[in-house]
Amino acid sequence: MLLAGTAAFIGPIILLGWQVLTWLRHGYWDRWPIERTLAKVGILEPQTGWAGVQKIISYLFGMPTLLLILVGGIIVGGLLASIITWIDENHLADARVTYEVEGETRQQSVTAILRGKDSDAIVAIGRLHPGMDFKVSKIEWFPKV
């Protein structure tokens, strides 16, 4: 998400800055169309025999690259934010683990692990007691708050 947000914010600013400098220096506004940007990486405007379709393609390829970077960054950033939110709301959880170590029954809360994945909770308890034998008797799962 950070990369998409950075591209959505810094990419247009750099391109806009270059366009402003060009305008200040030469007195004309260079829109820097998508067609020129894609040509730099070897992608040329496709040609078709259908006049209407060709007009649509030419229109899209003539749009400013600034707009493409901004809209693309916003879309990618939004998708990544949605995915992260979904994962956080549906797959992270807190667990309370009841276990026995050295003949003593203990309880420990473990946070930010995958809900229902008992092995993660057991590994977390093992990190608290390295090299010691322990036996887990109960794992209670709670939604992440």
Side-chain angles (χ1 to χ4, degrees):
M1 187 164 99
L2 181 61
L3 182 61
T6 302
F9 184 72
I10 293 177
I13 288 175
I14 291 171
L15 187 56
L16 182 61
W18 179 85
Q19 289 173 315
V20 167
L21 287 175
T22 301
W23 179 75
L24 290 171
R25 182 180 234 183
H26 302 291
Y28 70 90
W29 186 259
D30 185 359
R31 292 182 7 182
W32 196 272
I34 293 171
E35 172 183 37
R36 189 184 314 166
T37 303
L38 293 176
K40 296 278 184 192
V41 293
I43 300 173
L44 301 176
E45 180 180 331
Q47 300 298 315
T48 179
W50 293 19
V53 172
Q54 190 62 50
K55 283 184 180 186
I56 293 170
I57 291 171
S58 295
Y59 175 79
L60 293 174
F61 271 69
M63 294 177 73
T65 299
L66 183 67
L67 182 64
L68 175 71
I69 294 171
L70 185 62
V71 170
I74 290 169
I75 289 170
V76 170
L79 286 172
L80 290 176
S82 297
I83 290 169
I84 289 169
T85 301
W86 181 81
I87 289 171
D88 187 47
E89 290 175 354
N90 296 298
H91 292 288
L92 295 180
D94 295 328
R96 185 175 338 153
V97 181
T98 305
Y99 62 100
E100 188 176 311
V101 63
E102 295 181 335
E104 182 183 334
T105 300
R106 300 182 186 180
Q107 278 192 342
Q108 179 68 44
S109 293
V110 184
T111 59
I113 56 180
L114 292 176
R115 180 182 295 133
K117 192 169 179 189
D118 291 350
S119 61
D120 284 352
I122 293 168
V123 167
I125 297 300
R127 287 188 189 127
L128 293 173
H129 305 287
M132 300 176 76
D133 289 330
F134 63 92
K135 182 180 178 184
V136 174
S137 57
K138 183 177 177 184
I139 300 175
E140 299 172 81
W141 293 96
F142 305 100
K144 184 125 178 97
V145 181

